[in-house]
Amino acid sequence: MNRGITSALVLVLLVLVVAGCSGTQEPQQKPGAAATYNDGTYTAVSDADHHGYGLATVTISADKITKVDLKEFIETGAEKDFDTYKYEPSVQANQEMAQRIVKANSIHVDDYTKATSSSTKYKQAVARALDKAKTKPAITTEYFDGVFLGKSEADDHGYALALVTMENDQVKEVVLQEVTETGEFKDYSTYPKKEVVAAHEELPAKFVETNGGPVDNVSGATHTTAKWNQAVQNALELAKVR
């Protein structure tokens, strides 16, 4: 074969080999490259809905997810007890989703079969925890956009809940509720104290006006108003980016 043709063929083969190798190699972080995450432990919650919300505590070390602890809270704000919870896929998802995320070092894992809602909440909570951990924050607002469930302290009469919708650091909507000492939602359509019923109707708009700031006590419903003030503040605390 002509020497010129042979040399040309060798050159083409070398180019193909180099190109093939570069196309199959995973990108590697260069030694000394800036880390994506700060080391530490970060906690965040998912959006809340009529079934509750998820909470994730994520530990980062050397830019890797080394541990994930997951919890779930029901619509009354009470933590789900997986030792007694009867729906087995939800129980299994609580452990399995944490293991999958650590193994993949990512939230991009499959949902647990028959526990899609819980899986989605867990992944969103982990994603928000990772946002908190970033060395170069991608979110510049004070609060995450979303829906957050805050709970007041409980007393002999129960406790208050506030479902707060945030968008661009603004409170867009507030839904208020109370849970009785027996763990049931209070029925305002039959509740006999008119001042409390009126406060339940009037205060959501006032919380929007104050952007979640404390509102004045409603005469005849002072104790209830104080609980809702606390519940809204706790919802905002859960919504904080940092």
Side-chain angles (χ1 to χ4, degrees):
M1 183 181 291
N2 184 285
R3 181 176 295 179
I5 296 174
T6 303
S7 298
L9 286 173
V10 170
L11 180 60
V12 169
L13 287 172
L14 285 172
V15 170
L16 289 173
V17 169
V18 171
C21 290
S22 63
T24 57
Q25 286 181 335
E26 291 291 331
Q28 300 292 320
Q29 187 179 35
K30 295 180 181 179
T36 302
Y37 302 109
N38 292 305
D39 286 356
T41 299
Y42 303 87
T43 299
V45 299
S46 72
D47 281 1
D49 58 22
H50 60 283
H51 293 299
Y53 64 93
L55 181 148
T57 301
V58 180
T59 301
I60 303 290
S61 180
D63 239 19
K64 298 287 186 181
I65 301 172
T66 59
K67 185 178 180 183
V68 173
D69 289 317
L70 300 173
K71 294 182 180 181
E72 202 169 351
F73 293 78
I74 62 175
E75 65 274 16
T76 61
E79 184 177 346
K80 190 178 287 186
D81 183 358
F82 288 106
D83 290 333
T84 60
Y85 198 66
K86 294 181 179 180
Y87 187 60
E88 190 61 25
S90 183
V91 177
Q92 294 299 320
N94 178 257
Q95 294 297 323
E96 181 67 24
M97 290 302 294
Q99 294 171 7
R100 290 180 184 182
I101 290 168
V102 171
K103 184 177 180 179
N105 194 41
S106 170
I107 62 165
H108 300 296
V109 297
D110 292 337
D111 292 340
Y112 193 84
T113 304
K114 296 183 180 180
T116 302
S117 178
S118 294
S119 298
T120 300
K121 288 174 182 174
Y122 290 146
K123 288 193 286 188
Q124 186 182 38
V126 172
R128 285 175 171 167
L130 292 175
D131 279 330
K132 290 184 177 186
K134 284 183 177 178
T135 56
K136 295 181 179 179
I139 299 176
T140 58
T141 53
E142 183 178 359
Y143 300 103
F144 289 108
D145 286 352
V147 184
F148 302 88
L149 182 63
K151 177 183 175 184
S152 75
E153 292 182 1
D155 58 21
D156 293 340
H157 301 289
Y159 55 90
L161 294 175
L163 198 65
V164 179
T165 300
M166 298 297 300
E167 184 180 326
N168 294 325
D169 279 351
Q170 298 297 310
V171 174
K172 294 297 183 180
E173 184 181 12
V174 175
V175 178
L176 301 176
Q177 186 55 269
E178 287 179 275
V179 178
T180 68
E181 66 277 11
T182 59
E184 303 293 329
F185 284 119
K186 185 175 286 185
D187 184 356
Y188 295 100
S189 66
T190 59
Y191 195 67
K193 195 170 182 180
K194 294 180 179 179
E195 295 86 351
V196 173
V197 175
H200 176 255
E201 294 174 352
E202 297 169 7
L203 289 181
K206 291 185 177 181
F207 279 117
V208 172
E209 290 175 6
T210 63
N211 202 38
V215 298
D216 293 336
N217 287 326
V218 175
S219 180
T222 301
H223 192 55
T224 302
T225 306
K227 284 183 179 178
W228 276 326
N229 271 320
Q230 187 180 57
V232 170
Q233 289 304 306
N234 287 339
L236 292 176
E237 191 65 31
L238 291 177
K240 283 185 176 179
V241 175
R242 281 168 286 279

